[in-house]
Amino acid sequence: MSSDRGRWSREDFASDPVTLAQRLIGALLVRTLDTGERLSGMIVETEAYLGVEDKAAHSFGGRRTARTEPMYAQPGTVYVYFTYGMHHCMNVVCGAVDEPVAVLIRAAEPVEGIDRIRSNREAGKPRKTPLKSTDLCSGPAKLCQGFGVDRRLSGTDLIDGDALHIEHYPNAKPALGLVNSERIGIGYAEEWVMRPLRWHLSQNRHVSRN
DNA sequence: ATGACGATTTACT
DNA sequence: GTAAATCGTCATA
């Protein structure tokens, strides 16, 4: 179809989180605001969360609560959580129904609606110097703030939903390659701390760190 | 009802 | 590099 601009379908999300985390790099994350305004960014950094066995995952041990419920839904579901009393982070649920695995979207390079993304990021914080363009979405909570994503979007669907979806992004720069490393901010996860489940686009300045 | 703790970011020394 | 911000979530009781 021509009208869906290469929008990802259900089966595109049905893979395991390790595969999806790598596949999402270079894809376009699209946020459609209630006003119809379109914001987008090329995903440059992701992390895989492997579910009940993964001590870093919110679904570790099969934990199933109102918060984590979207992780048990069908692939292509959005899971947004609130943390540190002030930040939101966004995940793409994958795998099969009742298998609570997901990919955390950690950073993106803004493509469309950059002015809006910037104003979302600078809202309520009068600053002396404008935010650097590479700081707009260079972290999971920065990305959510810039794209206007919060818990209200948790449980929504990337295939049928209006607010968020993923598109193939033909304009993605020639891939310089993926760097695979340890996940960030999960020091409590014991033997899972060292597992290389983070991927980011090599030589890209919009990643949260190198 | 209560206490401990974040899949982070930012400002400051 | 260090530390504060800030409150929903979850386990314990």
Side-chain angles (χ1 to χ4, degrees):
Chain A
M1 279 154 260
S2 55
S3 59
D4 62 15
R5 296 213 238 184
R7 185 167 173 151
W8 283 30
S9 60
R10 183 77 57 202
E11 51 267 33
D12 290 322
F13 296 101
S15 59
D16 65 274
V18 169
T19 298
L20 185 66
Q22 296 170 78
R23 201 154 168 262
L24 279 171
I25 301 287
L28 197 69
L29 171 67
V30 182
R31 168 80 167 104
T32 304
L33 302 176
D34 292 339
T35 58
E37 185 175 357
R38 188 177 144 111
L39 313 180
S40 73
M42 182 180 71
I43 296 170
V44 299
E45 180 180 345
T46 59
E47 284 179 357
Y49 285 84
L50 307 197
V52 298
E53 61 175 348
D54 182 356
K55 288 182 176 173
H58 291 164
S59 53
F60 172 66
R63 179 168 2 105
R64 186 167 186 163
T65 63
R67 177 180 68 145
T68 62
E69 187 61 28
M71 288 193 74
Y72 293 81
Q74 63 185 336
T77 298
V78 177
Y79 167 49
V80 182
Y81 65 90
F82 180 69
T83 191
Y84 290 103
M86 63 192 93
H87 299 303
H88 294 273
C89 298
M90 174 183 10
N91 294 261
V92 174
V93 174
C94 54
V97 173
D98 282 332
E99 181 191 16
V101 294
V103 174
L104 173 68
I105 310 299
R106 284 194 57 90
E109 176 174 333
V111 173
E112 297 167 86
I114 298 179
D115 291 343
R116 173 71 64 186
I117 292 171
R118 176 181 296 282
S119 64
N120 285 345
R121 286 276 292 126
E122 295 180 346
K125 307 194 171 187
R127 46 173 58 252
K128 16 194 176 322
T129 62
L131 224 34
K132 287 184 301 181
S133 65
T134 51
D135 279 339
L136 295 178
C137 299
S138 57
K142 297 176 183 176
L143 174 69
C144 283
Q145 184 184 29
F147 276 64
V149 171
D150 64 26
R151 280 195 309 279
R152 289 172 298 192
L153 292 180
S154 193
T156 61
D157 190 63
L158 290 168
I159 291 82
D160 297 328
D162 296 320
L164 284 169
H165 68 272
I166 303 287
E167 292 178 12
H168 298 292
Y169 187 48
N171 295 339
K173 303 177 176 86
L176 295 164
L178 288 186
V179 179
N180 183 211
S181 58
E182 295 172 13
R183 292 175 294 184
I184 294 171
I186 56 152
Y188 54 85
E190 303 178 33
E191 74 270 26
W192 287 82
V193 170
M194 314 259 302
R195 293 284 294 270
L197 294 171
R198 169 180 179 244
W199 288 267
H200 68 86
L201 206 47
S202 174
Q203 314 257 121
N204 185 285
R205 299 171 324 151
H206 297 263
V207 298
S208 65
R209 59 174 94 168
N210 291 288

